mmCIF file of all heavy atoms in Angstrom:
data_model
loop_
_atom_site.group_PDB
_atom_site.id
_atom_site.type_symbol
_atom_site.label_atom_id
_atom_site.label_comp_id
_atom_site.label_asym_id
_atom_site.label_seq_id
_atom_site.Cartn_x
_atom_site.Cartn_y
_atom_site.Cartn_z
ATOM 1 N N ARG A 1154 1.242 5.350 0.546
ATOM 2 C CA ARG A 1154 0.609 6.442 1.291
ATOM 3 C C ARG A 1154 0.871 7.748 0.565
ATOM 4 O O ARG A 1154 2.000 8.038 0.184
ATOM 5 C CB ARG A 1154 1.176 6.503 2.719
ATOM 6 C CG ARG A 1154 0.813 5.275 3.547
ATOM 7 C CD ARG A 1154 1.480 5.232 4.914
ATOM 8 N NE ARG A 1154 2.917 5.015 4.765
ATOM 9 C CZ ARG A 1154 3.854 5.882 5.141
ATOM 10 N NH1 ARG A 1154 3.544 7.006 5.729
ATOM 11 N NH2 ARG A 1154 5.126 5.612 4.945
ATOM 12 N N ALA A 1156 -0.020 12.065 0.512
ATOM 13 C CA ALA A 1156 -0.531 13.229 1.240
ATOM 14 C C ALA A 1156 -0.371 14.454 0.353
ATOM 15 O O ALA A 1156 0.650 14.610 -0.325
ATOM 16 C CB ALA A 1156 0.218 13.426 2.556
ATOM 17 N N VAL A 1161 -9.039 25.971 0.319
ATOM 18 C CA VAL A 1161 -10.457 26.247 0.128
ATOM 19 C C VAL A 1161 -10.640 27.732 0.430
ATOM 20 O O VAL A 1161 -9.931 28.283 1.278
ATOM 21 C CB VAL A 1161 -11.340 25.352 1.025
ATOM 22 C CG1 VAL A 1161 -11.063 25.562 2.497
ATOM 23 C CG2 VAL A 1161 -12.810 25.523 0.715
ATOM 24 N N LYS A 1165 -15.743 29.585 2.465
ATOM 25 C CA LYS A 1165 -16.403 28.381 1.949
ATOM 26 C C LYS A 1165 -16.112 27.123 2.765
ATOM 27 O O LYS A 1165 -16.357 26.009 2.308
ATOM 28 C CB LYS A 1165 -15.987 28.139 0.485
ATOM 29 C CG LYS A 1165 -16.373 29.249 -0.459
ATOM 30 C CD LYS A 1165 -17.874 29.429 -0.528
ATOM 31 C CE LYS A 1165 -18.242 30.501 -1.547
ATOM 32 N NZ LYS A 1165 -19.669 30.782 -1.531
ATOM 33 N N LYS A 1170 -17.299 21.283 3.553
ATOM 34 C CA LYS A 1170 -17.691 20.136 4.375
ATOM 35 C C LYS A 1170 -19.034 19.585 3.928
ATOM 36 O O LYS A 1170 -19.205 18.371 3.794
ATOM 37 C CB LYS A 1170 -17.746 20.509 5.849
ATOM 38 C CG LYS A 1170 -18.191 19.318 6.691
ATOM 39 C CD LYS A 1170 -17.939 19.468 8.126
ATOM 40 C CE LYS A 1170 -18.354 18.310 8.990
ATOM 41 N NZ LYS A 1170 -18.984 17.156 8.418
ATOM 42 N N ASP A 1174 -19.894 15.866 2.781
ATOM 43 C CA ASP A 1174 -20.899 15.072 3.496
ATOM 44 C C ASP A 1174 -21.887 14.445 2.521
ATOM 45 O O ASP A 1174 -22.488 13.406 2.823
ATOM 46 C CB ASP A 1174 -21.663 15.931 4.507
ATOM 47 C CG ASP A 1174 -20.838 16.311 5.719
ATOM 48 O OD1 ASP A 1174 -19.768 15.705 5.948
ATOM 49 O OD2 ASP A 1174 -21.262 17.242 6.444
ATOM 50 N N GLU A 1175 -22.052 15.080 1.375
ATOM 51 C CA GLU A 1175 -22.995 14.630 0.347
ATOM 52 C C GLU A 1175 -22.253 14.193 -0.926
ATOM 53 O O GLU A 1175 -22.769 14.334 -2.043
ATOM 54 C CB GLU A 1175 -23.969 15.761 0.025
ATOM 55 C CG GLU A 1175 -24.756 16.239 1.234
ATOM 56 C CD GLU A 1175 -25.511 17.544 1.015
ATOM 57 O OE1 GLU A 1175 -25.391 18.157 -0.078
ATOM 58 O OE2 GLU A 1175 -26.232 17.950 1.938
ATOM 59 N N LYS A 1185 -12.900 3.735 -4.784
ATOM 60 C CA LYS A 1185 -12.680 2.381 -4.272
ATOM 61 C C LYS A 1185 -12.253 1.433 -5.389
ATOM 62 O O LYS A 1185 -11.363 0.598 -5.202
ATOM 63 C CB LYS A 1185 -13.933 1.876 -3.569
ATOM 64 C CG LYS A 1185 -14.187 2.588 -2.248
ATOM 65 C CD LYS A 1185 -15.429 2.073 -1.560
ATOM 66 C CE LYS A 1185 -15.644 2.774 -0.238
ATOM 67 N NZ LYS A 1185 -16.829 2.254 0.476
ATOM 68 N N HIS A 1190 -7.956 3.719 -0.294
ATOM 69 C CA HIS A 1190 -8.358 3.270 1.043
ATOM 70 C C HIS A 1190 -8.018 4.364 2.051
ATOM 71 O O HIS A 1190 -7.065 5.119 1.865
ATOM 72 C CB HIS A 1190 -7.591 2.004 1.442
ATOM 73 C CG HIS A 1190 -7.777 0.861 0.510
ATOM 74 N ND1 HIS A 1190 -8.815 -0.033 0.621
ATOM 75 C CD2 HIS A 1190 -7.048 0.480 -0.572
ATOM 76 C CE1 HIS A 1190 -8.714 -0.927 -0.342
ATOM 77 N NE2 HIS A 1190 -7.655 -0.633 -1.082
ATOM 78 N N ASN A 1191 -8.779 4.414 3.123
ATOM 79 C CA ASN A 1191 -8.487 5.323 4.239
ATOM 80 C C ASN A 1191 -8.250 6.760 3.779
ATOM 81 O O ASN A 1191 -7.306 7.422 4.209
ATOM 82 C CB ASN A 1191 -7.286 4.816 5.050
ATOM 83 C CG ASN A 1191 -7.545 3.460 5.654
ATOM 84 O OD1 ASN A 1191 -8.617 3.219 6.211
ATOM 85 N ND2 ASN A 1191 -6.610 2.560 5.521
ATOM 86 N N SER A 1193 -8.790 10.536 3.839
ATOM 87 C CA SER A 1193 -9.206 11.546 4.811
ATOM 88 C C SER A 1193 -8.783 12.920 4.331
ATOM 89 O O SER A 1193 -7.725 13.068 3.710
ATOM 90 C CB SER A 1193 -8.550 11.312 6.176
ATOM 91 O OG SER A 1193 -8.861 10.048 6.686
ATOM 92 N N TYR A 1206 -5.084 12.802 2.897
ATOM 93 C CA TYR A 1206 -4.277 11.591 3.064
ATOM 94 C C TYR A 1206 -5.067 10.425 2.473
ATOM 95 O O TYR A 1206 -6.266 10.291 2.725
ATOM 96 C CB TYR A 1206 -3.996 11.326 4.549
ATOM 97 C CG TYR A 1206 -3.342 9.984 4.779
ATOM 98 C CD1 TYR A 1206 -1.966 9.831 4.629
ATOM 99 C CD2 TYR A 1206 -4.096 8.868 5.109
ATOM 100 C CE1 TYR A 1206 -1.357 8.597 4.822
ATOM 101 C CE2 TYR A 1206 -3.497 7.627 5.292
ATOM 102 C CZ TYR A 1206 -2.133 7.495 5.148
ATOM 103 O OH TYR A 1206 -1.533 6.281 5.327
ATOM 104 N N GLU A 1208 -4.434 6.101 1.149
ATOM 105 C CA GLU A 1208 -3.602 4.942 0.885
ATOM 106 C C GLU A 1208 -4.094 4.344 -0.428
ATOM 107 O O GLU A 1208 -5.305 4.184 -0.628
ATOM 108 C CB GLU A 1208 -3.715 3.929 2.024
ATOM 109 C CG GLU A 1208 -3.169 4.483 3.323
ATOM 110 C CD GLU A 1208 -3.447 3.608 4.528
ATOM 111 O OE1 GLU A 1208 -4.075 2.537 4.380
ATOM 112 O OE2 GLU A 1208 -3.059 4.006 5.630
ATOM 113 N N TRP A 1215 -4.417 5.037 -9.248
ATOM 114 C CA TRP A 1215 -4.789 6.313 -8.634
ATOM 115 C C TRP A 1215 -4.827 7.418 -9.686
ATOM 116 O O TRP A 1215 -5.766 8.202 -9.747
ATOM 117 C CB TRP A 1215 -3.810 6.661 -7.514
ATOM 118 C CG TRP A 1215 -4.054 7.976 -6.867
ATOM 119 C CD1 TRP A 1215 -3.258 9.083 -6.935
ATOM 120 C CD2 TRP A 1215 -5.166 8.354 -6.046
ATOM 121 N NE1 TRP A 1215 -3.808 10.108 -6.211
ATOM 122 C CE2 TRP A 1215 -4.973 9.690 -5.653
ATOM 123 C CE3 TRP A 1215 -6.300 7.680 -5.605
ATOM 124 C CZ2 TRP A 1215 -5.889 10.374 -4.842
ATOM 125 C CZ3 TRP A 1215 -7.204 8.358 -4.795
ATOM 126 C CH2 TRP A 1215 -6.992 9.688 -4.433
ATOM 127 N N TRP A 1228 -14.794 17.622 -9.851
ATOM 128 C CA TRP A 1228 -13.917 18.785 -9.969
ATOM 129 C C TRP A 1228 -14.687 20.008 -10.446
ATOM 130 O O TRP A 1228 -14.496 21.106 -9.916
ATOM 131 C CB TRP A 1228 -12.777 18.501 -10.924
ATOM 132 C CG TRP A 1228 -11.714 17.580 -10.405
ATOM 133 C CD1 TRP A 1228 -11.547 17.119 -9.130
ATOM 134 C CD2 TRP A 1228 -10.661 17.018 -11.162
ATOM 135 N NE1 TRP A 1228 -10.458 16.300 -9.048
ATOM 136 C CE2 TRP A 1228 -9.889 16.216 -10.287
ATOM 137 C CE3 TRP A 1228 -10.292 17.092 -12.498
ATOM 138 C CZ2 TRP A 1228 -8.769 15.514 -10.707
ATOM 139 C CZ3 TRP A 1228 -9.170 16.391 -12.926
ATOM 140 C CH2 TRP A 1228 -8.414 15.612 -12.031
ATOM 141 N N PHE A 1230 -17.791 20.611 -10.015
ATOM 142 C CA PHE A 1230 -18.675 20.979 -8.908
ATOM 143 C C PHE A 1230 -17.931 21.750 -7.819
ATOM 144 O O PHE A 1230 -18.498 22.640 -7.176
ATOM 145 C CB PHE A 1230 -19.289 19.691 -8.344
ATOM 146 C CG PHE A 1230 -20.221 19.865 -7.183
ATOM 147 C CD1 PHE A 1230 -21.351 20.671 -7.263
ATOM 148 C CD2 PHE A 1230 -19.988 19.185 -6.001
ATOM 149 C CE1 PHE A 1230 -22.219 20.796 -6.194
ATOM 150 C CE2 PHE A 1230 -20.847 19.300 -4.925
ATOM 151 C CZ PHE A 1230 -21.970 20.110 -5.022
ATOM 152 N N ALA A 1239 -6.763 24.769 -14.813
ATOM 153 C CA ALA A 1239 -7.568 24.966 -16.020
ATOM 154 C C ALA A 1239 -8.485 23.776 -16.311
ATOM 155 O O ALA A 1239 -9.568 23.944 -16.869
ATOM 156 C CB ALA A 1239 -6.662 25.240 -17.212
#
Side-chain angles (χ1 to χ4, degrees):
R1154 294 174 291 117
V1161 61
K1165 298 298 183 186
K1170 178 165 180 359
D1174 288 345
E1175 301 168 357
K1185 289 180 179 182
H1190 302 273
N1191 299 315
S1193 302
Y1206 172 83
E1208 295 171 0
W1215 177 248
W1228 287 350
F1230 179 57

